[in-house]
Amino acid sequence: AYDSSVADAQASKAKRDYFIRIMVAVIASMNIMMLSVAKYTGFFTGISEEVKNMIHIGEFLLSTPVLFYSGWIFFKGGYYGLKNRMVNMDFLVASGSTLTYIYSMFILFGAKGESYFDSVAMIITFVLVGKYLEVIGKKSAVDTLDKIKSSLPLEAVVIENDTKKTVALNSIKLGDIIEIKAGEKVPVDGKITKGEGFFDESTLTGESIPVYKKITDLVFSGTINSNALIEYEVTKDFKNSTFSSIVTLLEDSLNSKPKIQTKAAEISKYFTVTILSLALSTFLVWYFFGIDLGFDYNGTTQFERSFIVAVSVIVIACPCALALATPMASLVGISELAKKGLLFKEAKFIESLAVANTVVFDKTGTLTKGELNVAKMKILDENIHKLNLLYSILCASTHPVSRSIKKYLEEKYDLIEKKLDNVKNIEAKGMSANYTNVDGKNFELLGGNLDLLKQNEIYYKFDSNKTVYLFAINKRVVATFELEDEIKDNAKELVEFLQNKNIEVVMLTGDNENVASNIASQIGIKKYFAFQTPISKANYIKELKKENKTVVMVGDGVNDSVALSNADVAIAMGNSADVSLAISDVVLLNSSLNSLKDAFVISSKTFKFIKQNLAISLIYNSVTIPLAMAGLVIPLFAALSMSLSSLIVVLNSLRIKMK
C-alpha cells in the first residue's frame, strides 16, 4: 500500500542529496573551465611546464570531488547494472570519466601530454543535471499523491446501537452505518439508509450540477454531501472505495515508465557496450599489433600510446552531442511554446506530442467553459410583479441552474426579492412556494423541470436537448429557460485542425447522452462517450495504448487525474484543479484552445529539428570514432571535437526560432 510519509521522506532525501552533489559539480566545473581556458590557450601559443603543472594540480584538486562525490551516483548505478547483467549509460559515464581521470593522473605525475580533468568534471556535471530533473519529477509525483489523499477525511462517524463514535477510515468495516452532515465528504462507498439530498460529484465526474440521492442510492467516497444529514451503510471498505482506487491507479501509472524512456534506455545500453568494446579492441590492437601495423608512437611507450588512443575513443564518443540532440531542440521549442502560454514540464513530451495520433478531450471546463449559461429565455408574461416572484424563488435555491438564471435576470432587469411562504425543495426536480400579496391573494409558484410540472398536472409541450427550467404561477407557465455549457472559443477550429492532421479526436464526459451529443455535434467530434467515470476514462486510454496509439489527454478536473496520468501526454487547462496541474505534463497557462493548436504546430517543427540533431550526432560518431581508433585524434582534440559537435547541435536547434 502507498505510504505517503515513507515515500515523501525518500523522495525529499533523494532530491536533497542530488542537489548537494550537483552544486559541488557545478561550482568545481566552473572553476576548472577557467583554468582550462589558460591551458588550451597555452597549447597553441606556448606555456611553461611550471605553469602547466600548476594548472594540472588545480584541475586535479577540483575534479576529484566531482568524480568521487558528485559522480558516485554513476558508479553506484553502473555497479547495480552489472549486478543485474546490464551495461548501462551510468557505466559508460563512470568508466569514461575514470579512465580519463587515471590518464590525467599519469600526466600530473610526469608523463608527457595534456591532462583532461576538465572533461572528467564536465561529463559528470552534464549527465548529473539530467538525473536531477528526473528526481524532481519523482518528488512532484509523490506530492501529487499526498495532495489527493489529503482531500479525504481521516475519520468518520459510525453509528452502532444508537451510539455515535469516531473511527479511523482503515477501521471502517462492511455493513457499518456512517453519518455525514451537510458539507462533509463521503469517506467510503455505501448505500443510503436514511435521508436524501444533493451530492456534489464533480471530483469524480467533472460535472458541476449536484446529483440527487435518496434511500437505496449509492454514494461514493470523495463526493460532498451538499445539504442534508445522511446515514448510509458501508458497501466497500476504505482500500476498495472509489477514491482510494483512483489513488492506487494513479500511483501505478506514475511509477510506470513511458515507452520513449524505455527505448532510450535500450539504445543507451547498446551504445555503451559498443563504445566500450571498440575502446578495448583499440587498446589491444595498438598494444599487441601497433608496431607491426606501422603505428607511430611518437616517443611514448607502447602501453601509454595504446592507453591514450583507447581513452580518445571513449572521450570522443561520450554522448554529449547525442545527449544534447533532443534536449537542446526541445529547450528552444519549449521557450517558443511558453510565449504561446504553454508550459512543458519535461522536454520529452514535445516528441510524444509531435507523433500523437489520438487526442482525448474531457468536455466540461476543457471544450466548454464549465458554467451553465442561459442560451434562450422566453417570457410569456412580462408583468414585473410576476418576474419578481420568479426572481424570489430563484433566490431561495442554491442549485447551479437557479443561480445561473438568477444571474442572467439580474443583468437584464431590476428585480426585487419577495418574501415567500412554504418554500420546498422537490426531489431533484425544482422548488415550490407560495406568495400572498397585499390584497391577500395567494399565488402558487413552481420552478423546475418538465417532470415537476407534470407532477403538478401542468402539461406544457417543450422539446430541447439542453437543460430546461420552467416557471409557473397558479398552474400557468409564464417563463421558460434553456441552459447550456458554453463552448470555448476556437474549439471547433482546433478539432478541424487535428482531424486534418489525421489525428483521431475523442470526447469523454460524465454528462448524459443528450448533452454529450449536442456538444459533440456543434464542435464536429464524431466519436464521444457519455456517463464516463474517472476509472472508465483511464481504462479507455489504456485500451487505446494497447492498440499502440500515442494518446494525448486534455482535461481540467480531479476526475481527469487518473486518465491524464495514463496518457502519453497529459495536458491540463490553466484553470484546472491543483491535482490535474500537478499530474499533467503540459499546462495551458491561458486556457486558450488556440494555444493547444500552437503546441502541435511547434512540437512538430521541434521534432523535425530533433531528428536533424540526431542525424548530426550519428554522422559525427561514425566519422570521428574510426579516426580516434586509428590514433589520428589525441584526447585533447577528442574533447574539443566532442564540444564542437555539441556546438553544431546547439546552433541547429536555435534555427527553430528563425522558422
Side-chain angles (χ1 to χ4, degrees), residues 326-453:
T326 297
M328 267 316 301
S330 298
L331 189 63
V332 177
I334 283 171
S335 68
E336 291 298 295
L337 288 160
K339 294 174 186 175
K340 303 288 186 181
L342 289 138
L343 172 63
F344 275 67
K345 294 187 178 179
E346 283 190 57
K348 65 183 180 182
F349 297 115
I350 286 184
E351 293 182 64
S352 301
L353 197 63
V355 300
N357 49 28
T358 307
V359 178
V360 178
F361 287 98
D362 171 49
K363 178 184 73 67
T364 308
T366 304
L367 292 170
T368 66
K369 294 182 178 178
E371 299 174 359
L372 282 172
N373 292 304
V374 176
K376 190 175 180 182
M377 175 181 76
K378 190 174 182 182
I379 303 296
L380 303 175
D381 189 337
E382 294 218 24
N383 184 303
I384 192 66
H385 298 296
K386 292 179 179 178
L387 290 178
N388 281 335
L389 294 179
L390 165 61
Y391 181 69
S392 301
I393 200 168
L394 291 169
C395 288
S397 173
T398 58
H399 196 280
V401 170
S402 299
R403 289 201 301 264
S404 297
I405 299 173
K406 177 189 170 186
K407 181 182 175 184
Y408 181 78
L409 290 175
E410 285 173 341
E411 292 171 356
K412 295 182 71 70
Y413 301 99
D414 185 15
L415 299 172
I416 301 170
E417 183 180 355
K418 301 288 187 178
K419 184 179 181 302
L420 304 180
D421 302 315
N422 302 321
V423 179
K424 293 179 183 176
N425 182 39
I426 304 169
E427 294 190 4
K429 294 176 182 176
M431 296 191 74
S432 67
N434 290 93
Y435 173 71
T436 305
N437 66 9
V438 292
D439 298 327
K441 187 176 180 181
N442 183 58
F443 296 88
E444 292 180 8
L445 312 180
L446 281 175
N449 58 22
L450 283 166
D451 287 342
L452 176 66
L453 268 64

Side-chain angles (χ1 to χ4, degrees), residues 106-380:
F106 280 120
I107 302 301
L108 178 66
F109 290 111
K112 290 183 179 181
E114 302 292 335
S115 69
Y116 302 102
F117 291 115
D118 54 343
S119 294
V120 173
M122 291 308 294
I123 291 167
I124 295 292
T125 304
F126 182 82
V127 185
L128 196 59
V129 169
K131 279 192 168 282
Y132 180 63
L133 293 174
E134 185 181 339
V135 169
I136 289 175
K138 287 181 179 177
K139 176 69 170 71
S140 175
V142 170
D143 290 343
T144 299
L145 286 170
D146 291 346
K147 191 175 188 70
I148 294 173
K149 293 202 82 170
S150 66
S151 66
L152 272 182
L154 298 175
E155 300 172 323
V157 176
V158 175
I159 302 174
E160 190 175 330
N161 299 323
D162 295 328
T163 303
K164 297 178 183 178
K165 62 178 180 178
T166 303
V167 300
L169 293 195
N170 286 325
S171 301
I172 295 174
K173 305 183 295 295
L174 296 179
D176 281 351
I177 302 297
I178 304 286
E179 178 189 85
I180 47 169
K181 298 173 184 174
E184 292 183 344
K185 281 194 175 182
V186 178
V188 293
D189 293 8
K191 182 169 63 177
I192 295 177
T193 56
K194 184 179 180 181
E196 57 186 41
F198 286 94
F199 282 77
D200 180 355
E201 296 188 343
S202 59
T203 51
L204 300 182
T205 65
E207 304 309 320
S208 56
I209 300 176
V211 179
Y212 181 78
K213 303 275 185 174
K214 57 185 185 301
I215 292 174
T216 72
D217 284 346
L218 295 174
V219 292
F220 306 102
S221 57
T223 61
I224 300 171
N225 176 19
S226 296
N227 62 347
L229 183 70
I230 300 288
E231 292 180 12
Y232 72 92
E233 180 185 343
V234 175
T235 56
K236 289 183 180 178
D237 59 18
F238 173 68
K239 184 180 178 183
N240 296 303
S241 284
T242 303
F243 210 75
S244 186
S245 299
I246 290 173
V247 172
T248 302
L249 286 170
L250 199 53
E251 184 189 2
D252 291 344
S253 59
L254 282 170
N255 290 330
S256 63
K257 289 185 178 180
K259 227 182 294 183
I260 191 169
Q261 188 175 332
T262 307
K263 284 182 179 178
E266 195 71 21
I267 291 169
S268 68
K269 179 177 73 175
Y270 292 120
F271 182 83
T272 303
V273 172
T274 302
I275 296 304
L276 290 174
S277 300
L278 289 173
L280 178 61
S281 302
T282 300
F283 175 82
L284 294 173
V285 169
W286 274 82
Y287 186 73
F288 291 107
F289 308 106
I291 295 174
D292 296 336
L293 294 172
F295 290 140
D296 185 4
Y297 284 87
N298 290 330
T300 57
T301 67
Q302 201 165 342
F303 174 81
E304 284 178 335
R305 185 59 179 168
S306 303
F307 189 79
I308 289 168
V309 175
V311 167
S312 295
V313 172
I314 292 176
V315 171
I316 208 165
C318 231
C320 283
L322 194 62
L324 276 171
T326 297
M328 267 316 301
S330 298
L331 189 63
V332 177
I334 283 171
S335 68
E336 291 298 295
L337 288 160
K339 294 174 186 175
K340 303 288 186 181
L342 289 138
L343 172 63
F344 275 67
K345 294 187 178 179
E346 283 190 57
K348 65 183 180 182
F349 297 115
I350 286 184
E351 293 182 64
S352 301
L353 197 63
V355 300
N357 49 28
T358 307
V359 178
V360 178
F361 287 98
D362 171 49
K363 178 184 73 67
T364 308
T366 304
L367 292 170
T368 66
K369 294 182 178 178
E371 299 174 359
L372 282 172
N373 292 304
V374 176
K376 190 175 180 182
M377 175 181 76
K378 190 174 182 182
I379 303 296
L380 303 175

Side-chain angles (χ1 to χ4, degrees), residues 461-498:
K461 189 176 180 182
F462 197 85
D463 294 321
S464 176
N465 58 0
K466 299 179 177 66
T467 301
V468 174
Y469 183 95
L470 303 99
F471 178 62
I473 299 177
N474 292 338
K475 296 191 181 294
R476 179 172 172 265
V477 176
V478 296
T480 64
F481 298 86
E482 293 178 72
L483 299 93
E484 65 180 359
D485 192 352
E486 190 178 342
I487 294 171
K488 280 190 175 180
D489 297 335
N490 303 312
K492 188 172 183 180
E493 291 80 357
L494 173 63
V495 170
E496 287 177 357
F497 166 78
L498 293 172

